[in-house]
């Protein structure tokens, strides 16, 4: 899904999703004609939970924080979407409003694809549909882990799980902690920001993590994993 000349300035290397290699040139052209490319700056809202969802969004470059509002000003961060991921994919199957909110963690380029044109491809190209479904499975598995964290773990365990997620291999090149506030981390762990600050200092004293300003380094992920599992 290369961008046309004269569009927004590059913000990084474009994603080359394997799934788009599975469609015919005719279908590729049709899909390209039914999409709009937009650039979102860091901290810019992409869409809000409960708003009308006319499009599926594909992330060409950037990082997107996905969260839900849980009442009042409280929110729960769900995951960080990255290049090659889809957002609002459920709108293809009749979900007319966004079930979560999305905000750019860094300058990002997204394609807004008309859901009917993408739905047509899913119906006519089983291999394409299977490839996208397999990508969405990873998100589903992560959501199940969130439910486990909220239901069974104490605060140290919740924070440990969050740090392991944010320091996972897919984010290694992103310096993700420089893009997140302590409140963001608290909203991923579903604990207070005061508790985050307290437990980060405890983890540092125990030699599990190293703090350098906003950045968090994890020299001993095995110990953190134990806390995540037993917390």
């Amino acid at each position: 899904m290369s961008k046309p000349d004269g569009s927004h300035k590059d913000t990084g290397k474009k994603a080359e999703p394997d799934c788009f290699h599975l469609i015919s040139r005719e279908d590729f052209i049709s899909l390209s004609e039914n999409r709009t490319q937009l650039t979102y700056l860091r901290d810019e809202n992409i869409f809000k939970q409960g708003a009308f969802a006319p499009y599926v969004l594909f992330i060409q470059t950037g990082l997107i924080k996905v969260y839900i509002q849980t009442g009042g000003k409280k929110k729960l961060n769900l995951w960080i979407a990255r290049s090659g991921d889809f957002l609002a994919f459920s709108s293809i199957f009749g979900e007319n409003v966004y079930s979560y909110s999305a905000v750019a963690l860094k300058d990002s380029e997204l394609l807004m694809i008309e859901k009917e044109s993408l739905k047509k491809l899913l119906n006519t190209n089983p291999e394409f549909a299977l490839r996208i479904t397999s990508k969405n499975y990873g998100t589903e598995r992560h959501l199940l882990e969130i439910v486990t964290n909220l239901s069974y773990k104490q605060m140290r365990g919740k924070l440990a799980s969050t740090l392991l997620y944010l320091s996972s291999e897919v984010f290694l090149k992103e310096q993700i902690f420089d893009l997140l506030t302590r409140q963001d981390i608290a909203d991923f762990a579903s604990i207070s920001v005061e508790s985050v600050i307290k437990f980060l200092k405890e983890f540092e004293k125990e030699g599990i993590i190293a703090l350098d300003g906003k950045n968090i380094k994890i020299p001993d992920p095995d110990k953190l994993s134990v806390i995540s599992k037993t917390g």
Side-chain angles (χ1 to χ4, degrees), residues 40-49 59 61-69 75-83 85 87 100-108 110 142 165-166 171 176 179-189:
Y40 291 87
L41 302 180
R42 180 175 177 177
D43 295 328
E44 188 173 357
N45 287 324
I46 296 170
F47 56 78
K48 292 288 289 182
Q49 179 180 337
I59 304 172
T61 66
L63 291 173
I64 309 298
K65 181 178 68 178
V66 175
Y67 67 94
I68 56 172
Q69 212 74 33
K75 63 182 181 181
L76 174 64
N77 289 337
L78 298 177
W79 74 88
I80 295 175
R82 55 197 179 91
S83 300
D85 289 342
L87 296 173
Y100 48 78
S101 299
V103 62
L105 276 178
K106 60 188 293 188
D107 293 358
S108 304
L110 279 73
H142 176 65
Y165 168 65
L166 296 174
F171 300 127
I176 195 72
L179 302 174
L180 299 171
T181 65
R182 293 299 190 249
Q183 184 63 62
D184 286 325
I185 295 174
D187 290 338
F188 272 110

Side-chain angles (χ1 to χ4, degrees), residues 39 54 115 152 199 224:
T39 296
K115 52 189 178 183
Y152 302 109
F199 291 127
L224 200 61

Side-chain angles (χ1 to χ4, degrees), residues 6-215:
S7 60
H8 298 287
K9 183 180 179 181
D10 285 345
T11 56
K13 184 179 179 181
K14 298 294 182 294
E16 294 292 345
D18 291 340
C19 55
F20 287 134
H21 298 160
L22 301 174
I23 64 178
S24 67
R25 178 174 175 79
E26 183 180 90
D27 285 337
F28 183 86
I29 292 173
S30 175
L31 196 63
S32 297
E33 290 173 347
N34 289 284
R35 59 100 169 112
T36 301
Q37 181 168 305
L38 295 174
T39 296
Y40 291 87
L41 302 180
R42 180 175 177 177
D43 295 328
E44 188 173 357
N45 287 324
I46 296 170
F47 56 78
K48 292 288 289 182
Q49 179 180 337
F52 179 59
Y55 300 101
V56 176
L57 292 96
F58 173 76
I59 304 172
Q60 280 200 296
T61 66
L63 291 173
I64 309 298
K65 181 178 68 178
V66 175
Y67 67 94
I68 56 172
Q69 212 74 33
T70 59
K73 295 183 179 180
K74 294 182 179 180
K75 63 182 181 181
L76 174 64
N77 289 337
L78 298 177
W79 74 88
I80 295 175
R82 55 197 179 91
S83 300
D85 289 342
F86 287 91
L87 296 173
F89 197 77
S90 60
S91 65
I92 294 177
F93 307 102
E95 190 77 32
N96 292 321
V97 298
Y98 295 117
S99 55
Y100 48 78
S101 299
V103 62
L105 276 178
K106 60 188 293 188
D107 293 358
S108 304
E109 287 189 358
L110 279 73
L111 296 178
M112 301 174 66
I113 304 173
E114 291 186 4
K115 52 189 178 183
E116 288 304 317
S117 63
L118 191 54
K119 184 177 181 179
K120 179 181 177 181
L121 270 181
L122 293 173
N123 286 330
T124 58
N125 191 324
E127 191 174 359
F128 174 75
L130 182 61
R131 188 68 60 87
I132 291 180
T133 301
S134 66
K135 286 179 66 67
N136 287 332
Y137 168 71
T139 299
E140 180 181 332
R141 183 174 55 188
H142 176 65
L143 293 177
L144 291 174
E145 292 174 358
I146 291 176
V147 172
T148 300
N149 288 344
L150 294 178
S151 300
Y152 302 109
K153 294 184 180 180
Q154 298 179 10
M155 288 189 289
R156 277 174 60 97
K158 290 179 181 180
L159 180 57
S161 296
T162 293
L163 295 178
L164 287 171
Y165 168 65
L166 296 174
S167 62
S168 58
E169 187 175 353
V170 295
F171 300 127
L172 284 181
K173 296 180 180 179
E174 299 290 351
Q175 296 187 336
I176 195 72
F177 291 110
D178 288 337
L179 302 174
L180 299 171
T181 65
R182 293 299 190 249
Q183 184 63 62
D184 286 325
I185 295 174
D187 290 338
F188 272 110
S190 192
I191 62 178
S192 70
V193 67
E194 292 81 10
S195 295
V196 167
I197 295 171
K198 172 188 173 184
F199 291 127
L200 285 178
K201 290 180 179 178
E202 287 185 5
F203 290 163
E204 184 179 36
K205 288 180 181 179
E206 295 167 16
I208 299 171
I209 67 172
L211 300 177
D212 180 17
K214 290 182 64 177
N215 193 24

